[in-house]
Amino acid sequence: MSARLPLIGVTLDSEPPAPQGTGGYSRFPWYAIRQNYMDIIAACGGLPVALGHDPAMAAAMVARLDGLVVTGGAFDVPPDLYGAPDVHISVQTKPRRTMAEAALVEAAMAKSMPILGICGGMQLLAVLLGGTLVQHIPDTYCAALAHEQPNPRDEAGHDVYIMAGTQLARLVGAGRLPVNSSHHQAVRDAGRGVICARASDEVVEALELPGYPFCIGVQWHPEFGISAGDRLLFEGLIDAARQAGI
């Protein structure tokens, strides 16, 4: 009999209904996820399952899982969640999604469940750990890299530099990784977390939670598998989920 595959919950994006006559996907609200999120989890030995947006069901969902991936998307964490007095004009939110993901992360952390936050998922993780965000990178970093890269997302946009001695460094076995980049916000401080990677312009690229079995957030999209480090990140998550389930 084969070993049980760790069940990895993957958060979904949500989209509004398309106006009548526009030819959109559906005239009703719908969930969405890129195929490569699910594919890389399966390729690394996990069993991916999609999670809907119902905060009241979060604890019940997490009770069935071995690990959690909080995905990214073209939206922002509501600034009031980290005490920002003003809202930048570029900020777009999806409150229902954020509420559901926050409930999932909190339920997962109560069980010390392995968690991987990706792009916006990393930013939410930072906020839930008591951190804050930069609402628009160009307004804070005058010499910022192109963090919303013009080239395709399955290509590298820039490198990130990983701090020696961190869990992330041990996991990927490198101090520097080429990554893709698709974000206009960034972590300002990580609260109870520790910043473990930055870009050359000092924008925060990864964080982790010391003393936790596996709680890592990365600002890039490792599901595209641009480097060996991307796959090692998912393998680390799934191995931690496997160990937790033994």
Side-chain angles (χ1 to χ4, degrees), residues 20-244:
Q20 188 170 4
T22 62
Y25 175 74
S26 176
R27 289 177 57 194
F28 300 92
W30 50 284
Y31 286 128
I33 191 165
R34 267 188 283 100
Q35 182 176 326
N36 57 1
Y37 277 111
M38 312 301 266
D39 287 352
I40 196 167
I41 290 170
C44 292
L47 181 61
V49 59
L51 306 177
H53 299 168
D54 186 348
M57 294 290 290
M61 291 179 188
V62 167
R64 304 285 186 93
L65 301 177
D66 300 302
L68 176 66
V69 175
V70 185
T71 63
F75 74 105
D76 305 304
V77 176
D80 63 289
L81 291 186
Y82 50 94
D86 301 307
V87 178
H88 193 275
I89 191 172
S90 65
V91 169
Q92 300 181 50
T93 63
K94 293 183 176 181
R96 184 170 180 264
R97 174 178 174 177
T98 297
M99 287 178 60
E101 289 183 327
L104 287 164
V105 170
E106 289 166 353
M109 294 190 77
K111 291 183 60 179
S112 296
M113 178 178 291
I115 301 169
L116 174 61
I118 294 175
C119 199
M122 167 184 157
Q123 294 170 8
L124 177 62
L125 189 58
V127 169
L128 294 175
L129 292 173
T132 60
L133 304 180
V134 172
Q135 290 191 40
H136 193 57
I137 290 171
D139 288 358
T140 300
Y141 296 87
C142 59
L145 298 170
H147 288 278
E148 293 184 285
Q149 69 184 53
N151 53 313
R153 298 297 188 257
D154 60 353
E155 300 174 358
H158 61 78
D159 289 348
V160 299
Y161 299 85
I162 301 170
M163 284 66 164
T166 60
Q167 183 181 18
L168 180 61
R170 292 190 296 272
L171 192 63
V172 303
R176 177 176 177 173
L177 289 179
V179 302
N180 53 15
S181 193
S182 179
H183 61 107
H184 80 105
Q185 296 200 333
V187 172
R188 186 185 300 275
D189 70 80
R192 294 185 289 116
V194 170
I195 293 168
C196 54
R198 292 183 184 269
S200 60
D201 58 4
E202 294 301 314
V203 167
V204 175
E205 292 285 343
L207 63 84
E208 60 190 48
L209 182 59
Y212 194 97
F214 188 107
C215 184
I216 295 176
V218 297
Q219 190 60 75
W220 64 95
H221 282 271
E223 69 276 11
F224 282 93
I226 288 174
S227 74
D230 286 345
R231 185 181 176 102
L232 288 168
L233 189 59
F234 280 98
E235 289 179 352
L237 169 77
I238 291 162
D239 184 60
R242 186 179 295 113
Q243 295 300 317

